[in-house]
Amino acid sequence: MSERLDRALKNLQRLISNLGEELNLSPETDYPVFFAENKTEFDFITRALFEVGLIDIKRTPQITTITLTVKGWNRIAELERTVSGKDSKQAFVAMSFNPDLDNAYKNGIGKAITSIGYKPLRVDLQEHNEKICDLIISEIRKSRFMVADFTGQKGGVYFEAGFALGLGIPVIWTCKKTDEAKLHFDTRQYNHILWNDETDLYEGLLQRIGATIF
């Protein structure tokens, strides 16, 4: 339900240009504005948005007049920050920087991301003048999705994956099969791509990215 309210709110933003502007809708004909199937659903969603303080409403038998509240505009801003990477072609890669995994990145993760039409970003390969933690946060926010490889069980990878999940950014979980038993119980529930070599990793990622990122 919360997702439907957010979608309705975003659609209102497209129809309301200015702060304080009123939008007149007919429940009989304009119910698709709220992705509703009929007037009853329209009235339900309108009431729900009002009750949580996102809109103000005035009603007549034929017309519902809607104004976005300050809380509503703030929620829209929050949603825009959350999906800031939605149209990005960048994929953030969280993994151990152990040289033993360089081939896994080059011929597995990086190759799969590039093959599907995205640009992989691993922060240790970037030139920058920022604090590394600030750069990580910034680049995750800009990314369409993340590939998080837990081989080596690095705490930073767990943090980065959790941060991405909190922003609503899709995370694709991978781990070398020999490390599977070491996965933390909090994340073991996620469907990891378990790989033996770079070919396994490349093929598994190619399928998963193609199936889940659009």
Side-chain angles (χ1 to χ4, degrees), residues 2-180:
S2 61
E3 182 179 346
R4 292 194 68 179
L5 295 184
D6 286 341
R7 290 176 64 206
L9 197 63
K10 287 289 289 179
N11 221 25
L12 285 176
Q13 180 202 15
R14 298 185 184 98
L15 298 171
I16 297 176
S17 304
N18 303 305
L19 298 175
E21 182 178 336
E22 293 183 341
L23 177 67
N24 293 321
L25 298 174
S26 167
E28 297 290 346
T29 58
D30 294 329
Y31 55 83
V33 169
F34 284 167
F35 306 97
E37 294 187 6
N38 49 48
K39 176 183 180 297
T40 301
E41 281 196 4
F42 174 91
D43 289 340
F44 181 87
I45 293 170
T46 302
R47 186 170 64 253
L49 289 168
F50 173 74
E51 288 176 352
V52 295
L54 299 175
I55 63 170
D56 283 329
I57 54 175
K58 292 184 288 186
R59 293 183 187 272
T60 69
Q62 292 79 33
I63 297 296
T64 299
T65 301
I66 295 174
T67 308
L68 284 168
T69 64
V70 171
K71 186 176 180 181
W73 284 109
N74 285 338
R75 177 57 183 162
I76 288 168
E78 181 182 340
L79 291 171
E80 288 177 341
R81 286 194 298 270
T82 299
V83 299
S84 60
K86 184 176 180 180
D87 298 320
S88 172
K89 299 303 289 184
Q90 175 171 292
F92 191 93
V93 179
M95 64 182 299
S96 168
F97 300 150
N98 188 319
D100 291 344
L101 293 174
D102 284 349
N103 283 335
Y105 173 75
K106 181 179 178 181
N107 299 317
I109 297 173
K111 183 180 176 183
I113 291 171
T114 302
S115 296
I116 212 77
Y118 289 88
K119 179 182 177 182
L121 183 135
R122 202 176 87 169
V123 292
D124 67 315
L125 302 179
Q126 297 297 111
E127 296 289 343
H128 62 89
N129 294 314
E130 305 172 59
K131 293 194 314 183
I132 189 67
C133 53
D134 291 340
L135 180 67
I136 288 170
I137 295 299
S138 173
E139 295 299 340
I140 291 174
R141 288 185 183 276
K142 297 176 188 175
S143 298
R144 174 66 183 89
F145 65 97
M146 173 187 289
V147 174
D149 185 77
F150 292 87
T151 308
Q153 303 300 305
K154 297 297 181 180
V157 178
Y158 283 95
F159 167 78
E160 290 155 23
F163 183 72
L165 285 178
L167 292 176
I169 294 171
V171 177
I172 297 176
W173 311 73
T174 71
C175 183
K176 195 166 186 177
K177 196 167 182 63
T178 52
D179 257 23
E180 180 184 6

